[in-house]
Amino acid sequence: MSTPYASAAPYYARYRPPYPAELYALLVDRFALDGSQTVLDLGAGPGTMSLPLAPLAEHVYAVDPEPAMLAEGCALAEERGHRNISWLRGDAAGIGRLCLPRTDLCVIGGAFHRMDRTRVAADLDAVLAPRGGIAVVTTVAAPWPAAVDEARERFLGPGHGPADREDVRDAEDHLAKSVFSRVATTTWERSTRCTVDQVIGLQFSRVCSSPALFGDRKDAFESELRRALLDHCPDGTCTRTVTVAVTVATRPRR
C-alpha cells in the first residue's frame, strides 16, 4: 500500500513551484559557488533545490527518507543531464552515518521545522568546511480559497490541513543559538497564478492530502474540488501571494 509520502512524490515533483532565481544568485554570491564545491541538500524531496544547484557545484548529495521522492529526483536529473547528484536515503537524524565528504554548503528547503533543529546544526558542525554554512529556505503562502479546505474536510475529516507552518523567526532563533550563529535572512515576495489543475496537483503533493489518504475516493475528491474552484475562479486560475525567505547561517568570523 502506498504511503502518504510515496503517493505525494509524483505530484510534488510536477506541481511544486521552483524557488526564485534570486535565491541561487544569493547562494552563489554568499558561498562563492563556482562549480568546485560540495553541497548537501537535506530533506531534498524530488530535488527541488538539488537540480538547480547541480550546475553550480562539483557534487550535490540529495538526502531524503522517502525512496519515492528520491526516484522522482533521480529521473528528473537523468532527463536534464545532471550526473553529479548522489541520491541518498537518510534523514536529518543520521547525518553522521552518511559518511559525507567535507561539505561547503547545506541547504534545507521546507523541512527544517520538522527536524530536531538543535541536533541538526550540531551534527553539521562536523561536516561543513570552516567557511561553509547552512541555508534554510522558508515559504509562507497566502491560503487558497476556502473551497479547498472545505472539500478536503468533507473527504478526510477535520485535522487534515497543513499541520506545520514554516516560520522564519523559528529558523533564525535556532541557528543563532548554534555554532552557526552568524545569521542573515533575505526575502522575496511574488504573486503567483495557478490553474485549477495546478491547485489540485498541489493538494496531492502534500502529505496531509496525498492520494494514499483518499484511496478509491481520490477521483471523486478531485472532481468535487474542481467544481468548487471553478465556481470560485470562473476563469480557471487562482492567484495568491507567496513569500520565500532564505536564512543563511555561518560560523562567526574569527
Side-chain angles (χ1 to χ4, degrees):
M1 180 178 179
S2 180
T3 68
Y5 283 96
S7 66
Y11 294 91
Y12 198 119
R14 179 175 180 181
Y15 291 104
R16 290 291 180 103
Y19 291 117
E22 292 90 343
L23 165 64
Y24 301 101
L26 183 148
L27 295 178
V28 167
D29 179 67
R30 183 64 184 81
F31 293 96
L33 300 181
D34 60 7
S36 65
Q37 289 77 23
T38 300
V39 175
L40 167 63
D41 185 358
L42 196 56
T48 307
M49 284 201 288
S50 295
L51 295 164
L53 283 168
L56 307 174
E58 181 176 14
H59 202 87
V60 177
Y61 291 89
V63 177
D64 197 271
E66 173 51 59
M69 290 286 186
L70 297 173
E72 292 287 340
C74 188
L76 289 171
E78 186 71 22
E79 288 177 13
R80 300 178 191 184
H82 298 318
R83 312 294 185 196
N84 62 334
I85 306 176
S86 295
W87 302 91
L88 305 178
R89 186 178 184 184
D91 57 31
I95 293 172
R97 295 191 294 272
L98 295 172
C99 300
L100 297 168
R102 183 67 71 180
T103 301
D104 300 288
L105 168 64
C106 174
V107 296
I108 305 172
F112 192 56
H113 63 296
R114 296 190 182 99
M115 298 175 180
D116 182 338
R117 286 149 290 192
T118 300
R119 177 178 176 180
V120 167
D123 288 348
L124 286 173
D125 186 31
V127 174
L128 289 168
R131 294 185 177 273
I134 306 169
V136 175
V137 183
T138 305
T139 302
V140 179
W144 292 115
V148 174
D149 290 339
E150 292 167 359
R152 183 179 57 243
E153 288 189 6
R154 280 195 293 274
F155 280 79
L156 298 179
H160 280 273
D164 296 310
R165 184 177 180 84
E166 299 174 78
D167 190 331
V168 176
R169 181 62 61 84
D170 181 76
E172 292 174 336
D173 289 347
H174 276 87
L175 291 170
K177 296 173 184 175
S178 75
V179 69
F180 302 95
S181 59
R182 187 166 172 247
V183 176
T185 296
T186 304
T187 63
W188 301 274
E189 184 177 284
R190 58 182 178 174
S191 179
T192 62
R193 183 180 294 273
C194 294
T195 66
V196 167
D197 283 343
Q198 289 171 324
V199 176
I200 293 170
L202 284 167
Q203 308 318 306
F204 290 139
S205 78
R206 303 188 66 93
V207 175
C208 65
S209 53
S210 68
L213 297 180
F214 291 95
D216 59 7
R217 303 181 74 203
K218 172 182 174 291
D219 290 345
F221 167 75
E222 182 173 343
S223 296
E224 181 170 324
L225 180 54
R226 186 182 304 279
R227 286 193 299 270
L229 285 170
L230 288 172
D231 285 344
H232 188 274
C233 310
D235 67 348
T237 62
C238 298
T239 302
R240 66 174 180 170
T241 300
V242 177
T243 300
V244 176
V246 57
T247 300
V248 173
T250 55
R251 300 178 181 92
R253 290 176 177 172
R254 298 186 184 279

